């Protein structure tokens, strides 16, 4: 079955065609990153305007690359949330037009389900599995006992991990988006500050990063006031060590308790090399999978894959009243 | 039998959603309904409803006319997105029209001030004449202080903030324009986003931590 994926929840306009839940025929992404860079973050109104501008072009490119006709599609899968509402609605409505025009069933997909299913493109899921979801908007541990069943074990109580990365980058005066730069600099520095590892010993699966973030910022501020040398590399290394220690430690705890067969990492921060290395080194009894780099960031292929399994599992489609939602529960 | 011309008109730039199906210049079906922040939910079901009533498929449509604002609310983007998609999928002509011209077509008076509220005393406004049943734009659509704009007009006019468009009047006017490059069509926002304006004015948006 050919599934058309549509993703416009933030600042990427993406359309993809995936065959039978894992074979990606096309995954076109029109990124706005260069536009939002000047503002140090995504500006919702600009994002929405850019989606309208690029939407039909991206569909056209994806269909040409896939070499199929719209009539060949068996299902349309579109991100319905969570995300920026003005952005989500562009993809949702474009997808609904295709559904009406060709009488193709449509399903609205949870964005995080998409990130989790990005792994399935290269590594078929084996259950029970544990998904560590880490992005600019999310930090959570999700248990899956079968396809399309999500049980949230814990989540961040304040900042998402990607958000903390971006703020640290800003304090250090690094360019946007800061996460990848912090990751790069971390390799050239040393963990000299020994920042706190928040909630590392708590007996739940929740996270907290705002205290750590403040500690990093205060330390930076102090050095600056005392006119001492600031080595960004050491800040990055110390911050990254603290963050990844917490993420890896909670992941291992969940792995042991729930006896999972597989660990998958999802979301933009899954691209972080420090996290990748530490997880791989510390977990050797079950496989740890990461999506390929281009499936870590927002893309429509992951939505097509998730939509395919949502459809197979729930045997339900949405009607033409389908709408976008800025907030949306994964377990819903 | 000569093939009939089936036109679809879409406008979602105001609090009202407007859809019309016109066959050979005659309005066969139309919907004009208030739905604040709701056009995203209703547009496709409404579209299906009017198509079904005429026993048409979406693929039967020959031409689309879409209201492109002015405006900067999410609403206008919904209609433009839907119109672009239909035009692209079926490779049919797309025409754009001012949503204020559509509003103005509602009026019977010789002079019309069409107005879409933009808060804080401002509005998107256009001034139209309706003499001899011929709709003409005599003052370009602008985003301005309402009182300032009105102060510059010395004709007697009707102010229209909502009202179902009289599509025949619009179709006989020269107020709509063919879109040559459908992929690049965007709404007529009339102003840059607040973030862009602040940036141009040198205001740093970065939040201080
Ligand atoms: Zn994402």
């Amino acid at each position: 079955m050919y599934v058309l994926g549509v993703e416009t929840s933030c600042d990427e306009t993406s359309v993809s065609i995936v065959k039978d839940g894992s074979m990606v025929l096309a995954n076109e992404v029109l990124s706005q990153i260069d536009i939002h860079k000047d503002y140090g973050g995504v500006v919702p109104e600009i994002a929405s305007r850019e989606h309208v501008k690029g939407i039909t072009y991206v569909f056209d490119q994806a269909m040409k690359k896939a070499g199929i006709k719209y009539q060949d599609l068996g299902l349309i899968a579109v991100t319905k949330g969570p995300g920026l509402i003005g952005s989500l609605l562009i993809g949702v409505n474009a997808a609904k037009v295709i559904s009406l025009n060709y009488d193709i069933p449509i399903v609205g997909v949870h964005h995080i389900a998409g990130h989790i299913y990005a792994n399935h493109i290269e590594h078929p899921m084996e259950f029970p599995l544990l998904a560590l979801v880490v992005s600019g908007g999310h930090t959570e541990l999700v248990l899956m006992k079968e396809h399309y069943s999500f049980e949230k074990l814990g989540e961040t109580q304040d900042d998402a991990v990607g958000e903390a990365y971006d703020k640290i980058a800003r304090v250090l005066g690094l360019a946007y988006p800061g996460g990848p730069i912090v990751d790069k600099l971390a390799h050239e520095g040393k963990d000299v500050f020994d920042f706190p590892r928040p909630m590392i010993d708590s007996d739940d699966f929740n996270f907290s990063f705002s205290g750590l973030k403040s500690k990093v910022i205060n330390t930076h501020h102090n050095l600056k006031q005392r006119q001492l040398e600031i080595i960004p590399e050491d800040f990055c290394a110390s911050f990254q060590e603290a963050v990844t220690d917490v993420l890896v430690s909670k992941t291992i705890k969940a792995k042991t308790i729930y006896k999972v067969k597989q660990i998958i990492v999802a979301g933009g921060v899954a691209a972080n090399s420090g996290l990748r290395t530490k997880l791989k080194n510390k977990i050797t009894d079950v496989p740890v999978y990461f999506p390929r780099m281009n499936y870590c960031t927002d893309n429509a292929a992951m939505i097509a894959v998730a939509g395919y399994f949502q459809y197979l599992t729930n045997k339900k489609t949405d009607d033409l009243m389908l709408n976008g939602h800025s907030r949306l529960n994964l377990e819903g | 039998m000569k093939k009939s011309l089936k036109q679809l008109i879409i406008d979602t730039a105001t609090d009202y959603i407007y859809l019309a199906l016109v066959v050979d210049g005659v309005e066969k079906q139309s919907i004009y309904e208030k739905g604040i922040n709701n056009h995203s939910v209703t547009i496709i079901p409404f579209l299906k409803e009017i198509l079904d009533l005429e026993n048409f498929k979406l693929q039967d449509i020959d031409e689309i006319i879409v209201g492109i604002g002015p405006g900067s609310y999410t609403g206008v983007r919904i209609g433009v997105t839907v119109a672009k998609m239909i035009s692209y999928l079926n490779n049919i002509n797309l025409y754009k029209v001012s949503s204020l011209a559509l509003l103005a077509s509602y009026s019977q008076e010789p002079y019309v001030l069409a107005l879409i509220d933009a808060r804080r005393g401002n509005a998107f406004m256009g001034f139209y004449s309706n003499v001899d049943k011929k709709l003409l734009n005599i003052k370009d659509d602008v985003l301005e202080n309402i009182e300032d704009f009105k102060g510059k007009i010395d004709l007697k006019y009707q102010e229209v903030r909502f009202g179902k468009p009289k599509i025949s009047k619009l179709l006989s006017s020269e107020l709509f324009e063919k879109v040559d490059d459908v992929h690049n069509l965007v709404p007529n926002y009339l102003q840059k986003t607040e973030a862009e304006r602040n940036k141009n004015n040198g205001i740093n948006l970065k939040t201080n931590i």
Side-chain angles (χ1 to χ4, degrees):
Chain A
M1 184 203 270
Y2 293 110
V3 181
L4 178 73
V6 183
E7 153 67 40
T8 63
S9 69
C10 190
D11 61 340
E12 331 266 1
T13 316
S14 181
V15 174
S16 173
I17 294 93
V18 178
K19 192 180 173 195
D20 299 332
S22 64
M23 192 197 286
V24 180
L25 302 185
N27 183 42
E28 292 297 298
V29 181
L30 193 63
S31 174
Q32 306 173 9
I33 202 153
D34 287 334
I35 298 164
H36 297 287
K37 207 155 68 180
D38 292 348
Y39 304 93
V42 176
V43 182
E45 173 69 14
I46 296 178
S48 183
R49 290 185 180 194
E50 291 298 316
H51 285 303
V52 180
K53 194 171 164 191
I55 192 81
T56 53
Y57 175 77
V58 178
F59 274 106
D60 199 39
Q61 293 294 303
M63 291 305 284
K64 279 178 180 153
K65 189 161 280 180
I68 63 163
K69 295 195 210 66
Y70 283 101
Q71 289 88 338
D72 301 331
L73 295 169
L75 181 71
I76 302 162
V78 59
T79 306
K80 64 174 175 181
L84 301 171
I85 191 68
S87 292
L88 286 164
L89 297 184
I90 305 307
V92 166
N93 276 284
K96 288 201 286 184
V97 172
I98 298 173
S99 174
L100 177 63
N101 205 66
Y102 299 103
D103 199 16
I104 299 164
I106 186 169
V107 288
V109 174
H110 194 287
H111 182 75
I112 296 304
H115 275 303
I116 291 172
Y117 271 88
N119 280 279
H120 190 80
I121 296 169
E122 284 171 310
H123 305 287
M125 289 178 166
E126 267 193 80
F127 304 101
L129 70 74
L130 180 67
L132 172 65
V133 181
V134 276
S135 73
H138 297 264
T139 309
E140 51 203 55
L141 276 164
V142 177
L143 179 69
M144 289 180 74
K145 290 182 178 147
E146 57 192 336
H147 267 303
Y148 236 76
S149 120
F150 308 98
E151 190 186 322
K152 201 186 278 178
L153 302 178
E155 65 188 323
T156 182
Q157 306 297 294
D158 39 62
D159 291 7
V161 63
E163 207 180 339
Y165 263 92
D166 282 342
K167 282 181 189 163
I168 297 307
R170 218 183 272 176
V171 168
L172 293 173
L174 308 174
Y176 170 87
I181 306 173
V182 173
D183 184 20
K184 190 166 163 281
L185 293 182
H187 291 285
E188 296 157 23
K190 283 193 291 288
D191 179 7
V192 294
F193 294 110
D194 196 26
F195 290 130
R197 271 70 171 155
M199 294 183 82
I200 196 161
D201 294 320
S202 71
D203 53 6
D204 54 23
F205 299 103
N206 291 329
F207 303 93
S208 165
F209 295 105
S210 79
L212 168 62
K213 181 193 71 189
S214 306
K215 179 78 187 163
V216 177
I217 293 168
N218 290 339
T219 307
H220 184 267
H221 187 73
N222 266 328
L223 288 179
K224 210 169 158 182
Q225 287 223 311
R226 288 152 55 200
Q227 298 188 321
L228 295 170
E229 189 190 7
I230 291 169
I231 303 167
E233 288 82 356
D234 288 349
F235 268 93
C236 294
S238 304
F239 170 71
Q240 181 143 309
E241 280 304 311
V243 167
T244 51
D245 273 355
V246 177
L247 291 174
V248 172
S249 145
K250 297 255 163 165
T251 304
I252 291 174
K253 198 160 83 183
K255 177 206 73 167
T256 311
I257 291 176
Y258 294 97
K259 298 182 179 58
V260 298
K261 292 201 177 111
Q262 198 179 63
I263 291 168
I264 63 180
V265 188
V269 184
N272 182 283
S273 67
L275 179 62
R276 285 185 178 228
T277 309
K278 197 171 282 182
L279 278 169
K280 288 264 185 199
N281 288 343
K282 297 248 165 107
I283 301 173
T284 48
D285 53 342
V286 298
V288 182
Y289 294 125
F290 304 84
R292 207 196 289 172
M293 289 298 180
N294 57 322
Y295 299 132
C296 283
T297 46
D298 290 350
N299 66 89
M302 68 186 199
I303 301 301
V305 177
Y308 175 76
F309 285 100
Q310 180 179 332
Y311 182 64
L312 288 189
T313 308
N314 300 347
K315 296 177 178 66
K316 266 200 315 219
T317 57
D318 282 296
D319 62 24
L320 294 174
M321 302 278 279
L322 176 66
N323 199 17
H325 304 276
S326 57
R327 301 168 69 90
L328 194 63
N329 193 344
L330 176 63
E331 291 158 306
Chain B
M1 204 177 90
K2 188 175 152 289
K3 191 183 170 294
S4 60
L5 178 72
K6 301 182 187 70
Q7 291 169 301
L8 173 66
I9 296 93
I10 299 173
D11 186 67
T12 57
T14 73
D15 287 343
Y16 289 76
I17 183 169
Y18 174 62
L19 292 174
L21 204 51
V22 173
V23 180
D24 293 331
V26 179
E27 182 185 296
K28 294 286 187 186
Q29 297 293 337
S30 62
I31 282 172
Y32 186 73
E33 276 211 20
K34 192 164 189 174
I36 298 163
N37 292 332
N38 205 29
H39 301 336
S40 162
V41 178
T42 56
I43 185 166
I44 304 296
F46 277 156
L47 180 55
K48 184 172 188 314
E49 185 181 319
I50 59 171
L51 290 166
D52 286 350
L53 286 168
E54 291 298 311
N55 259 319
F56 292 161
K57 299 271 176 230
L58 188 51
Q59 295 186 15
D60 295 332
I61 299 297
D62 300 302
E63 285 183 355
I64 308 176
I65 301 171
V66 66
I68 57 160
S72 58
Y73 305 124
T74 297
V76 66
R77 284 191 277 267
I78 305 287
V80 170
T81 299
V82 167
K84 282 178 74 163
M85 286 299 294
I86 301 170
S87 166
Y88 150 68
L89 292 175
N90 301 307
N91 199 18
I92 57 172
N93 283 342
L94 175 60
Y95 297 85
K96 59 180 181 179
V97 66
S98 162
S99 301
L100 291 170
L102 281 165
L103 259 183
S105 74
Y106 163 78
S107 173
Q108 309 277 18
E109 303 298 317
Y111 295 99
V112 193
L113 168 62
L115 186 152
I116 300 169
D117 192 67
R119 291 190 284 251
R120 289 184 225 118
N122 297 323
F124 297 97
M125 289 167 288
F127 199 71
Y128 292 82
S129 83
N130 208 2
V131 182
D132 297 330
K133 291 196 170 165
K134 173 98 177 154
L135 195 62
L136 291 171
N137 176 245
I138 48 178
K139 238 180 188 332
D140 278 350
D141 296 352
V142 290
L143 171 61
E144 223 179 280
N145 176 278
I146 298 174
E147 297 314 316
D148 288 353
F149 186 83
K150 287 180 176 173
K152 287 181 274 184
I153 302 167
D154 42 21
L155 293 159
K156 205 168 138 2
Y157 60 85
Q158 183 186 20
E159 181 180 318
V160 178
R161 287 177 184 240
F162 62 91
K164 187 175 178 180
K166 295 217 174 37
I167 199 62
S168 58
K169 203 189 285 172
L170 191 98
L171 291 174
S172 63
S173 78
E174 274 129 46
L175 292 171
F176 55 99
E177 184 188 333
K178 185 162 180 285
V179 176
D180 290 321
D181 181 2
V182 171
H183 286 318
N184 276 321
L185 178 67
V186 291
N188 178 19
Y189 298 112
L190 270 186
Q191 69 173 350
K192 290 194 183 301
T193 62
E194 197 180 347
E196 286 165 292
R197 281 178 276 140
N198 288 343
K199 190 179 129 213
N200 293 343
N201 294 335
I203 298 170
N204 195 344
L205 263 186
K206 285 181 187 174
T207 43
N208 291 312
I209 317 165

